Amino acid sequence: MIKIALIGCTGSIGRQVCEVVRAHPDRFCFSALVCGENAAELARLSEEFRPGLACLAGDVGDAEALFRGCDVAFIAAGGFAGLSYTLAAARTCKKIALANKESLVCGGELVMREVEKRQVDLVPVDSEHSALFRCLNFHRDAPYKKLVLTASGGPFLHRTEEELARVTAAEALCHPTWNMGAKITVDCATLLNKGYEVIEAKWLYRAELSQIEAVVHPESIVHSLVYFEDGAATAQLGYPDMKVPIQLALTYPDCLPCERELDLVALGALHFERLPVEKFPCFSLALEACRAGGTAPTLLNGAAEVAVRAFLDGRITFPQIAETVQETLSRVPQMPADRFQTLCEADRLARAAASRYIHGK
Ligand code: MG
């Protein structure tokens, strides 16, 4: 029986982790359930799953206590808030299933230092990184030449710049292939999400940025590819279903049955195209922040969290998301990211600067 401490149990990924546990009560149980603020849903899940501990994020206190006695820390909280849990889990338990990108985007240096020091088994849940993990035979340090991340391109892939200036939040929330939470769905539309995934891949697979490519693949069937020295590549294919990477993170190298088997003949064709980075500046901004290092990715993320909220509320336009991020990066000084407290301060400063910029519009 695998005991899971699930952080973010009422979000999009958290609910699917619950579905997996519900489907396999003989294999999985929860030692702890934590969510942001949905107390009613937390009470319902506690009644159903009877975890040893259940609480709202605001009542956690000592985060390390959540992970004592669990086999897997499943970090499915959204945004910068997930980082403190990932760090606490890295100090406390032997295995982390990571579904919070911001932990590596903002705190990659701190997280990887702790993971390597304590030999923690850090397993990606993001579908692209799970695909890479499988292509590398579940060895994050296996040799490869290049990593290729696929991107659906989001709902606005072929819009002109004039059209992008007029797109609405409702349109941005209609992702063509994946069903996810609001923040990440907008991040897919701006391609910020793909920029984050490049940074995630850099930390997880010790890649240089020059070794990571992103290509558009509108069908979301090929989830990513690993190229080897001889030019051959290995890809992972499947229908877009987060339960596949969720289950794999819990049971690898074994895997459990999932709902649908891939039917290539029914699909007929798969398509690939260049990522249109010039129309979606958030992708390049993420890579620039990664190159700058230190607190730059945390500033980028803090600004993006505020800007996406403002876009969803109808306070700024779609292109102004990237503008807000760029302005914040140019206004807030960057520092080395060697302490968690420094990152928290950078996050706070970025949110304040982004809010001021949006307010002044
Ligand atoms: Mg992904």
Side-chain angles (χ1 to χ4, degrees):
M1 185 68 97
I2 298 174
K3 295 194 286 294
I4 304 165
L6 174 60
I7 311 302
C9 61
T10 58
S12 170
I13 296 288
R15 287 198 305 272
Q16 294 179 78
V17 176
C18 290
E19 281 179 44
V20 166
V21 171
R22 195 174 285 127
H24 301 279
D26 52 326
R27 287 174 180 270
F28 308 120
C29 66
F30 289 117
S31 58
L33 288 173
V34 176
C35 75
E37 40 203 31
N38 192 343
E41 181 65 6
L42 182 66
R44 207 197 57 68
L45 292 173
S46 303
E47 181 73 22
E48 178 183 356
F49 293 108
R50 305 261 163 209
L53 203 156
C55 69
L56 295 174
D59 302 328
V60 163
D62 174 14
E64 290 181 19
L66 298 169
F67 303 116
R68 291 191 188 113
C70 77
D71 298 305
V72 184
F74 206 116
I75 314 295
F80 181 77
L83 173 60
S84 63
Y85 294 102
T86 303
L87 286 171
R91 287 191 297 265
T92 322
C93 56
K94 294 308 286 174
K95 179 170 174 176
I96 300 175
L98 187 63
N100 173 265
K101 298 172 200 276
E102 291 82 356
S103 291
L104 290 176
V105 169
C106 303
E109 200 176 318
L110 296 181
V111 170
M112 295 315 290
R113 192 194 297 165
E114 200 63 37
V115 159
E116 277 157 26
K117 188 169 87 190
R118 291 193 61 251
Q119 301 278 294
V120 177
D121 186 13
L122 179 65
V123 188
V125 178
D126 206 342
S127 62
E128 293 79 0
H129 306 79
S130 174
L132 296 173
F133 190 49
R134 199 188 303 232
C135 291
L136 292 166
N137 288 323
F138 309 113
H139 294 293
R140 285 198 294 107
D141 51 2
Y144 61 84
K145 186 174 182 201
K146 185 171 81 174
L147 307 174
V148 176
L149 305 172
T150 51
S152 71
F156 305 142
L157 182 61
H158 296 119
R159 300 286 177 101
T160 63
E161 284 184 37
E162 297 75 57
E163 287 169 335
L164 285 176
R166 294 192 301 271
V167 297
T168 64
E171 289 175 273
L173 291 175
C174 289
H175 194 278
T177 49
W178 291 95
N179 185 9
M180 305 172 290
K183 166 68 168 59
I184 186 173
T185 305
V186 176
D187 287 350
C188 287
T190 61
L191 297 191
L192 180 68
N193 180 61
K194 209 47 59 180
Y196 278 11
E197 291 180 353
V198 170
I199 304 177
E200 270 186 280
K202 165 192 136 79
W203 289 112
L204 284 166
Y205 302 107
R206 299 172 202 244
E208 299 294 331
L209 286 184
S210 59
Q211 285 178 289
I212 312 170
E213 271 177 34
V215 297
V216 172
H217 168 47
E219 292 91 355
S220 297
I221 295 295
V222 176
H223 296 303
S224 276
L225 307 93
V226 174
Y227 279 70
F228 298 94
E229 268 318 311
D230 58 1
T234 304
Q236 188 246 326
L237 288 75
Y239 294 113
D241 177 357
M242 281 311 295
K243 279 198 216 107
V244 175
I246 287 170
Q247 288 187 174
L248 191 68
L250 293 170
T251 63
Y252 92 89
D254 300 330
C255 53
L256 296 173
C258 232
E259 279 148 36
R260 288 168 77 199
E261 194 174 274
L262 190 64
D263 184 341
L264 285 174
V265 175
L267 282 167
L270 299 174
H271 300 85
F272 300 89
E273 53 188 283
R274 198 181 65 80
L275 201 69
V277 289
E278 56 294 331
K279 265 196 310 185
F280 299 96
C282 281
F283 178 80
S284 303
L285 285 170
L287 267 56
E288 278 168 36
C290 181
R291 281 189 204 97
T295 53
T298 304
L299 299 176
L300 170 98
N301 178 71
E305 289 193 30
V306 169
V308 169
R309 185 69 260 161
F311 172 67
L312 289 171
D313 294 344
R315 288 182 282 129
I316 60 171
T317 64
F318 185 77
Q320 284 171 337
I321 297 174
E323 264 177 52
T324 306
V325 169
Q326 187 156 26
E327 280 298 319
T328 303
L329 279 166
S330 68
R331 289 175 189 197
V332 185
Q334 295 158 21
M335 291 192 290
D338 49 355
R339 289 170 55 239
F340 177 61
Q341 283 315 320
T342 313
L343 295 182
C344 292
E345 180 62 6
D347 178 65
R348 192 186 66 75
L349 292 171
R351 283 169 199 270
S355 298
R356 274 197 305 278
Y357 179 73
I358 290 167
H359 197 68
K361 289 260 110 200

